Amino acid sequence: MKQLLIASTSTIHGSGYLEYLLDELRVFFKDCQTILFIPYARPGGVTHDEYTQKAREAFQKINKSLVGIHEFESAASAIQQADGIFTGGGNTFVLLAQLYKNNCIEALQEAINTGTPYLGTSAGSNICGLTINTTNDMPIVYPPSFRALALVPFNINPHYLDPIPNNTHMGETRETRIKEFHAYNTFPVIGLREGSWLEVKDKTILLKGTLDARIFEYNKEPYEVKSGTTLQHLN
Amino acid sequence: MKQLLIASTSTIHGSGYLEYLLDELRVFFKDCQTILFIPYARPGGVTHDEYTQKAREAFQKINKSLVGIHEFESAASAIQQADGIFTGGGNTFVLLAQLYKNNCIEALQEAINTGTPYLGTSAGSNICGLTINTTNDMPIVYPPSFRALALVPFNINPHYLDPIPNNTHMGETRETRIKEFHAYNTFPVIGLREGSWLEVKDKTILLKGTLDARIFEYNKEPYEVKSGTTLQHLN
């Protein structure tokens, strides 16, 4: 059974790394001894080892060990053999470029579609969508494609941000950007606010956390859905 | 003589389209009868014609006529024959993809390097840099490359935005994003605040407008430069 947690962010304001998700992760990864961590999106100034250590410390709180994919000779076989997988946030372009370079795309699709539990936060959630066309990140590297893992039938916009009232800055709001995406693409986009996540169990996709999510469908006005809403009909 | 105005934004808060630049443009385009407008970056929901009309109305105030590049059979020959060129803002990925598709890259480089005056705002300024790796835009289409016109020896970050004090949102600040760019690239980035522009005259690059700009060099702490500073040494 396909099982994913697709989280807007690793960290909510005023709380530690993954802290708000730990109770959920304890259940989600209950049958996993060791989690394979994919640190490829690493934020600037952090090594793969340092980033893996940060994730390891969070998983120690729920008595799980964690190993970095960069420690294996073959990233693809590390994925094939993993009990569970976690891809952390950072830069989505860097992450996707590294996944292509290390032949991880098909390995991830196969592992996750055949039941390996997968947790993504931020960039690690973006890649669960059809493409990375709706990332908020700066395109600091050029990946060979924007096509992502297509584990859900829509795109994700993590860290979804409402327009700031009375803002004098002339840059586009997030809503405007996603509407512009729909000038060139037709699939839906889920705007996930920080603290929200999607729980995928087989064919069911459920919005969790306390916040509403904002749904952008082609040729429709964007609308809000409550936590507890199922979203698998969006495609 | 190479002549460019590379502006952070078309519009500053509380003012009309291009209004804050009109006095400058009157002088800059003094030898041009007709300006060729490139509307390829068009913001969502606007046709090339509508966008061209908006630019036309602004240029009418300084008694210049304006024609859209999409009205010509060959975009490249329109560029070769232009008196002056203006590329408006919108989405940088859409703009660059269209420039490649319509064989405009070399035509623009040749025209501008041999003296055709060029105005860019926002996305139209981003493409003056070496690459579009430092755009703020959402990657709603996949261009064949991130390489841009390389008319200046660095990258531009238009709409440069200072960190918002006490922000609880966990997305990266603009400064963090540009620092992460320097984990993968070594050339400088000029953070141009809204209301600032670069004036390129032959080999001189001058910061204009009332605001300071923020300079990001590889392996250096970012720093501020005053309006009136020359920047051609950055490369």
Side-chain angles (χ1 to χ4, degrees), chain A residues 138 169, chain B residues 6-9 125-126 134 136 154-162 174-175 178 182 187-198 207-208 211-217 222-227 231 234:
Chain A
M138 192 172 264
H169 188 72
Chain B
I6 301 173
S8 173
T9 183
S125 293
N126 249 320
T134 52
N136 313 306
F154 41 70
N155 263 21
I156 308 287
N157 180 253
H159 300 281
Y160 182 76
L161 195 59
D162 293 294
R174 191 69 58 79
E175 176 155 328
I178 298 173
H182 277 146
F187 38 96
V189 181
I190 314 296
L192 275 182
R193 295 185 174 89
E194 292 177 349
S196 292
W197 66 94
L198 301 179
L207 175 63
K208 296 193 77 172
L211 303 168
D212 299 348
R214 194 155 183 86
I215 311 294
F216 299 83
E217 288 188 82
Y223 58 94
E224 298 281 318
V225 293
K226 296 270 169 216
S227 181
L231 300 174
L234 295 169

Side-chain angles (χ1 to χ4, degrees), chain A residues 9 11-13 40 42-45 90-91 93-94 132-146 157 159-161 164 167-172 174 177-178 180-181 183-185 194, chain B residues 9 11-13 40 42-45 90-91 93-94 132-146 157 159-161 164 167-172 174 177-178 180-181 183-185 194:
Chain A
T9 184
T11 312
I12 56 174
H13 184 71
Y40 290 155
R42 63 170 169 189
N91 185 289
F93 295 90
V94 174
I132 65 159
N133 286 110
T134 52
T135 175
N136 312 306
D137 293 340
M138 192 172 264
I140 59 178
V141 301
Y142 184 70
S145 166
F146 284 171
N157 180 253
H159 300 280
Y160 182 76
L161 195 60
I164 300 164
N167 194 2
T168 60
H169 188 72
M170 303 305 289
E172 299 86 355
R174 191 68 59 78
R177 291 166 185 266
I178 298 173
E180 291 183 7
F181 163 82
Y184 299 92
N185 304 273
E194 293 178 348
Chain B
T9 183
T11 312
I12 57 174
H13 184 70
Y40 290 155
R42 64 168 169 190
N91 185 289
F93 296 90
V94 173
I132 65 158
N133 285 111
T134 52
T135 175
N136 313 306
D137 293 339
M138 191 171 264
I140 59 178
V141 301
Y142 184 69
S145 166
F146 283 171
N157 180 253
H159 300 281
Y160 182 76
L161 195 59
I164 300 163
N167 194 0
T168 59
H169 188 73
M170 304 305 289
E172 299 85 355
R174 191 69 58 79
R177 290 166 187 266
I178 298 173
E180 291 183 6
F181 163 82
Y184 299 92
N185 304 272
E194 292 177 349

